[in-house]
């Protein structure tokens, strides 16, 4: 099994078909263990090898907040507040951003580069600053 960081191929086509409204839709981020198999071919949210429900994590993940879509020059980008799980005790290897308003369609896969464990603490994913290196960028 492997988690390969990528913008999902299906998402790219769905942008052209006007399926997603990143600023208005309910976007979520779910966490996965090292046993997950996620990559550019991922088309939708799955519970397979998601971090277990409980211990500060709820199956399905968290809704992204403070969402913005902006442009700079010829680059468009999406940003959101850093997702956070408090009073958490679990291990995660990666994440899937998906659209809860559009049949849970996959947007992007994140690979943390290794297992990250939290024990009775806060688990936070720090998104890059808005701009050319934002979490979702189309140049």
């Amino acid at each position: 099994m492997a988690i390969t960081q990528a913008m999902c191929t299906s998402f790219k086509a769905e942008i052209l078909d006007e399926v997603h409204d990143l600023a208005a839709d309910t976007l979520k981020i779910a966490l996965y263990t090292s046993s997950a198999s996620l990559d550019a071919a991922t088309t939708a949210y799955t519970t397979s090898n998601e971090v277990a429900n409980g211990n500060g994590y709820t199956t399905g993940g968290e809704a992204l907040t403070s969402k913005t879509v902006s442009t700079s020059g010829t680059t468009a980008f999406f940003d959101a507040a850093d997702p956070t799980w408090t009073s958490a005790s679990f291990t995660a290897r990666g994440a899937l951003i998906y659209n809860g308003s559009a049949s849970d369609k996959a947007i992007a896969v994140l690979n943390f580069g290794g297992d990250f464990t939290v024990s009775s603490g806060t688990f936070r994913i720090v998104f890059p600053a808005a701009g050319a290196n934002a979490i979702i960028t189309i140049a």
Side-chain angles (χ1 to χ4, degrees):
M1 302 292 166
I3 298 174
T4 304
Q5 185 147 322
M7 185 180 300
C8 298
T9 304
S10 58
F11 171 68
K12 295 173 188 177
E14 291 160 1
I15 289 173
L16 299 176
D17 287 335
E18 300 180 22
V19 171
H20 301 276
D21 182 341
L22 298 186
D25 289 350
T26 299
L27 304 185
K28 299 188 84 177
I29 186 165
L31 301 176
Y32 291 86
T33 69
S34 59
S35 298
S37 183
L38 302 167
D39 57 25
T42 300
T43 59
Y45 162 75
T46 178
T47 59
S48 181
N49 295 301
E50 184 177 5
V51 168
N53 195 44
N55 296 316
Y57 184 80
T58 301
T59 303
E62 294 290 320
L64 295 178
T65 61
S66 302
K67 301 172 299 175
T68 59
V69 174
S70 302
T71 60
S72 178
T74 60
T75 301
F77 52 89
F78 167 84
D79 193 27
D82 297 340
T84 303
W85 292 264
T86 58
S87 301
S89 294
F90 55 77
T91 299
R93 175 63 178 247
L96 176 69
I97 298 173
Y98 67 97
N99 191 334
S101 296
S103 304
D104 294 342
K105 293 180 181 296
I107 295 173
V109 175
L110 308 179
N111 181 332
F112 300 156
D115 284 343
F116 282 82
T117 301
V118 61
S119 180
S120 300
T122 299
F123 189 91
R124 175 177 288 118
I125 299 173
V126 179
F127 287 159
N133 295 318
I135 195 68
I136 298 172
T137 304
I138 300 173

